[in-house]
Amino acid sequence: MAVNPVSSATNGIDLTALNQKSTSATQKTDMDNFMTILMAQLKNQNPLEPMQDKDFMAQMAQFNSLNELRTIKTTLAEMTKSYQNSYATSLLGKQVRATRDNVVIEGVITSVSTENGTPVVYINNQRVALSSIIEVSGAAK
């Protein structure tokens, strides 16, 4: 069975709390920047053609949408990392084929680890990136 690899993963550290703090700080900074720009618009608007309430509301809605999209992006990245780690672990004891330095390696996955945030597996004591697996045959022969 051919496997389409997923490209990036976490280093096994739970980054959820860190990302939430970072995202919260970023959102506060973004909101501060947005309010600064909005105040500058109000101060410098043409008195003969002032901004309409609906324009302010549209800008606020766009800003809120942008923040929500950033939150969704962060959540999807965390889910992808979690999936990749789970997938790598599920391959333990499986017979696989993978490529490493343009050479096909066949064998049983004996261990799984993460290096620089990317899951790696060990086949016949050789380190192989999870994304290099091209076929999973099933249980060890």
Side-chain angles (χ1 to χ4, degrees):
M1 165 174 104
V3 176
N4 291 327
V6 183
S7 61
S8 69
T10 186
N11 59 5
I13 297 173
D14 182 14
L15 300 174
T16 305
L18 181 60
N19 283 340
Q20 286 174 346
K21 288 179 185 176
S22 174
T23 301
S24 177
T26 301
Q27 287 176 347
K28 181 177 179 349
T29 302
D30 288 347
M31 182 57 105
D32 291 344
N33 291 340
F34 175 76
M35 293 307 282
T36 301
I37 292 169
L38 188 61
M39 293 309 294
Q41 283 180 328
L42 286 172
K43 288 179 185 176
N44 298 310
Q45 68 180 326
N46 181 350
L48 301 176
E49 295 177 19
M51 273 185 99
Q52 301 295 316
D53 290 344
K54 64 181 178 179
D55 295 332
F56 289 121
M57 296 304 290
Q59 286 181 353
M60 286 296 280
Q62 288 174 341
F63 182 75
N64 287 336
S65 294
L66 177 63
N67 279 337
E68 289 302 316
L69 287 173
R70 284 183 182 164
T71 302
I72 290 169
K73 177 184 174 190
T74 300
T75 303
L76 287 174
E78 290 170 3
M79 289 173 60
T80 299
K81 290 174 186 179
S82 177
Y83 168 76
Q84 289 173 337
N85 286 329
S86 295
Y87 177 65
T89 303
S90 75
L91 294 176
L92 280 169
K94 302 277 178 138
Q95 180 75 25
V96 298
R97 284 184 31 189
T99 58
R100 181 175 177 212
D101 301 325
N102 296 324
V103 175
V104 175
I105 300 169
E106 291 188 42
V108 176
I109 295 179
T110 56
S111 65
V112 175
S113 68
T114 55
E115 295 178 8
N116 299 322
T118 303
V120 293
V121 296
Y122 289 86
I123 304 169
N124 303 329
N125 293 321
Q126 296 182 57
R127 181 190 153 286
V128 178
L130 181 64
S131 60
S132 298
I133 295 174
I134 56 175
E135 184 178 333
V136 177
S137 301
K141 295 179 181 177

